[in-house]
């Protein structure tokens, strides 16, 4: 028996469209870079607070300030570690955190520019937006300040340091340095930059480490602002006290 043949027209066949090749996800992942930024940023924030508490001992006089400096460089954690070792362990830890922080920041900034394309976002005129957009600039400025600060008060390298620099005389070195109006003004400007960087950085830590909820984020923003303000005021008191003769 003959098999009937359908006379219905065949539907037009749609040619298969080749899927674009998907590029592999970037390595390391963006969330890893943000976590690195958050953890290292927290380390720096704790260091800034502890450093400020120690520096405020300058108001107690030369004996207390020099004694604190000696304890920090020679006796901290001794005899758990040999005398003088802690400060080097601490410096190496900060250096590793600094390299990781800068590396993660540069990679994230590059990825953000690639994702944004040639067009800039409009309407970002709030203070927080300004802080976010200026993080790389403020971070770079702080990096230069840290280098100058180390040359001035740690290694005593001229012309950053004064001709009166003497190793082990922390109080006198600080006073001689801030008696230079240009250096004191530079320090005050750097502390203002630190406030901008620290306040936004601490707020970002709350978000990058997975905090959710409006109340928790608002609390994080408040803590970040208060901590940044305390660091700002506390550090500004020292050069102002030297310039006015309160510390001499």
């Amino acid at each position: 028996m003959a098999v009937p043949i359908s006379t219905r027209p065949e539907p037009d066949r749609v040619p298969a469209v080749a899927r674009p090749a998907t590029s592999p996800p970037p390595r390391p992942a963006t969330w890893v870079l943000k976590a690195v930024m958050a953890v290292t940023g927290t380390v720096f924030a704790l260091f800034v607070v502890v450093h400020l508490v120690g520096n405020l001992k300058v108001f107690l006089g030369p004996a207390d300030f020099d004694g604190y400096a000696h304890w920090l460089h020679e006796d901290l954690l001794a005899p758990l570690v040999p005398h003088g070792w802690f400060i080097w362990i601490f410096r190496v830890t900060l250096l590793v955190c600094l390299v990781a922080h800068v590396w993660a920041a540069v990679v994230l900034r590059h990825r953000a520019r690639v994702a944004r394309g040639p067009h800039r976002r409009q309407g970002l005129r709030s203070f927080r937006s300004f802080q976010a957009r200026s993080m790389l600039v403020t971070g770079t400025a702080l990096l230069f300040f840290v280098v100058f600060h180390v040359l001035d008060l740690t290694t005593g390298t001229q012309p950053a340091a004064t001709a009166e620099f003497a190793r082990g005389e922390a109080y006198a070195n600080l006073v001689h340095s801030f008696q230079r109006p240009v250096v004191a003004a530079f320090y005050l400007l750097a502390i203002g930059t630190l406030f901008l960087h620290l306040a936004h950085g601490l707020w970002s830590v709350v978000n990058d480490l997975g905090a959710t909820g409006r109340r928790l984020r608002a609390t994080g923003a408040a803590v970040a602002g208060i901590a940044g303000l305390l660091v700002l005021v506390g550090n500004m008191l020292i050069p102002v006290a030297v310039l006015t003769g309160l510390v001499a």
Side-chain angles (χ1 to χ4, degrees), residues 36-125:
V36 170
M37 291 282 292
V39 172
T40 55
T42 302
V43 171
F44 289 131
L46 292 175
F47 166 73
V48 166
V49 172
V50 173
H51 189 61
L52 170 62
V53 173
N55 283 344
L56 289 177
K57 292 182 180 294
V58 73
F59 292 101
L60 301 179
D64 287 276
F65 191 72
D66 289 344
Y68 164 74
H70 177 81
W71 170 80
L72 182 64
H73 284 78
E74 300 294 336
D75 297 334
L76 184 56
L77 292 188
L80 182 63
V81 297
H83 288 272
W85 278 35
F86 170 80
I87 191 65
W88 288 105
I89 296 173
F90 185 68
R91 287 169 176 170
V92 170
T93 301
L94 285 181
L95 181 61
V96 171
C97 289
L98 177 62
V99 172
H101 196 79
V102 172
W103 166 72
V106 171
V107 175
L108 286 172
R109 182 62 175 265
H110 173 71
R111 290 183 183 177
R113 284 189 172 183
V114 171
R116 184 188 65 197
H119 305 290
R120 291 184 175 273
R121 296 178 63 183
Q122 302 296 325
L124 300 178
R125 300 183 181 278

Side-chain angles (χ1 to χ4, degrees), residues 67-223:
Y68 164 74
H70 177 81
W71 170 80
L72 182 64
H73 284 78
E74 300 294 336
D75 297 334
L76 184 56
L77 292 188
L80 182 63
V81 297
H83 288 272
W85 278 35
F86 170 80
I87 191 65
W88 288 105
I89 296 173
F90 185 68
R91 287 169 176 170
V92 170
T93 301
L94 285 181
L95 181 61
V96 171
C97 289
L98 177 62
V99 172
H101 196 79
V102 172
W103 166 72
V106 171
V107 175
L108 286 172
R109 182 62 175 265
H110 173 71
R111 290 183 183 177
R113 284 189 172 183
V114 171
R116 184 188 65 197
H119 305 290
R120 291 184 175 273
R121 296 178 63 183
Q122 302 296 325
L124 300 178
R125 300 183 181 278
S126 65
F127 180 68
R128 191 170 298 283
S129 298
F130 168 76
Q131 285 181 296
R133 287 183 282 109
S134 62
M135 285 296 280
L136 191 60
V137 176
T138 56
T140 303
L142 288 174
L143 183 59
F144 281 108
F145 167 72
V146 168
V147 173
F148 175 85
H149 194 57
V150 170
L151 295 176
D152 181 19
L153 296 177
T154 302
T155 64
T157 304
Q158 295 185 12
T162 64
E164 295 85 1
F165 180 88
R167 194 167 302 277
E169 302 291 337
Y171 182 92
N173 293 336
L174 183 145
V175 171
H176 288 144
S177 179
F178 286 154
Q179 282 177 340
R180 299 174 293 177
V182 173
V183 173
F186 176 56
Y187 186 85
L188 291 172
L189 180 62
I191 294 305
T193 305
L194 176 62
F195 166 72
L196 294 176
H197 197 86
L198 182 63
H200 183 76
L202 290 177
W203 180 81
S204 299
V205 166
V206 176
N207 295 275
D208 292 342
L209 292 184
T212 57
R214 181 178 300 177
R215 180 175 299 177
L216 183 57
R217 293 195 176 194
T219 302
V223 171

